[in-house]
Amino acid sequence: MEVNQVYTHEFSFSQDEVNRFAEVTGDKNPVHTDAAYAAKTLFRKPVMHGMLGAALFSKVFGTLFPGEGTIYLKQSLNFLKPMYVDVTYKAEFTIKELIKDKNRAVVETLIKNPDGLVCTSGEATILNTEKIKN
């Protein structure tokens, strides 16, 4: 790992996955699950839970980049644009700082829509004793 290194990962979620997320979390706000309700909102159709999109960060850190052994310590989030089901988004991870003596990295986390607009932004701090070393 090195400063300014970028990792990207494309993903999408189905309405069924959004509904299951609503069940697991208890966030059954109809703006996420009811098309008729959502049609009357400023979004015009159901939007994904922001936290469902951001949960993708955990998958990437723990399994892909830097991968196994990573401990997720901290995350800030800004939800800037709505995200919709069955749309392919790109998560981008940029190493902003390495704190090698503590086996930590500060990582910019972004989710961009197909037009390249940022839907979710934030910053994570992760720990990995095997992949972030002196």
Side-chain angles (χ1 to χ4, degrees):
M1 295 182 71
E2 58 189 54
V3 173
N4 294 322
Q5 181 178 355
V6 177
Y7 181 84
T8 61
H9 181 77
E10 290 189 347
F11 70 97
S12 66
F13 289 104
S14 68
Q15 186 62 54
D16 181 60
E17 289 168 317
V18 170
N19 294 345
R20 288 188 287 152
F21 186 84
E23 285 297 319
V24 168
T25 63
D27 180 356
K28 298 178 183 179
N29 183 334
V31 74
H32 303 301
T33 59
D34 183 333
Y37 177 89
K40 299 175 190 168
T41 71
L42 67 121
F43 303 113
R44 303 285 184 229
K45 57 186 177 179
V47 294
M48 289 174 25
H49 301 77
M51 293 303 288
L52 175 58
L56 186 277
F57 299 155
S58 182
K59 170 193 170 180
V60 169
F61 286 137
T63 65
L64 301 169
F65 179 76
E68 187 175 317
T70 300
I71 306 299
Y72 205 166
L73 300 174
K74 183 176 165 181
Q75 176 75 56
S76 66
L77 290 169
N78 300 295
F79 302 110
L80 305 171
K81 297 207 173 300
M83 294 174 60
Y84 300 98
V85 301
D86 300 322
V87 172
T88 300
Y89 293 91
K90 183 187 289 185
E92 291 185 5
F93 303 81
T94 304
I95 305 296
K96 292 301 189 185
E97 180 181 359
L98 290 173
I99 310 160
K100 292 184 177 183
D101 61 322
K102 293 187 178 184
N103 307 103
R104 295 179 185 201
V106 177
V107 184
E108 178 185 53
T109 52
L110 301 174
I111 296 174
K112 294 182 178 181
N113 69 17
D115 295 327
L117 300 175
V118 176
C119 298
T120 304
S121 69
E123 187 174 89
T125 302
I126 58 171
L127 171 98
N128 187 305
T129 58
E130 295 300 313
K131 298 186 179 170
I132 307 169
K133 312 183 204 192
N134 274 331

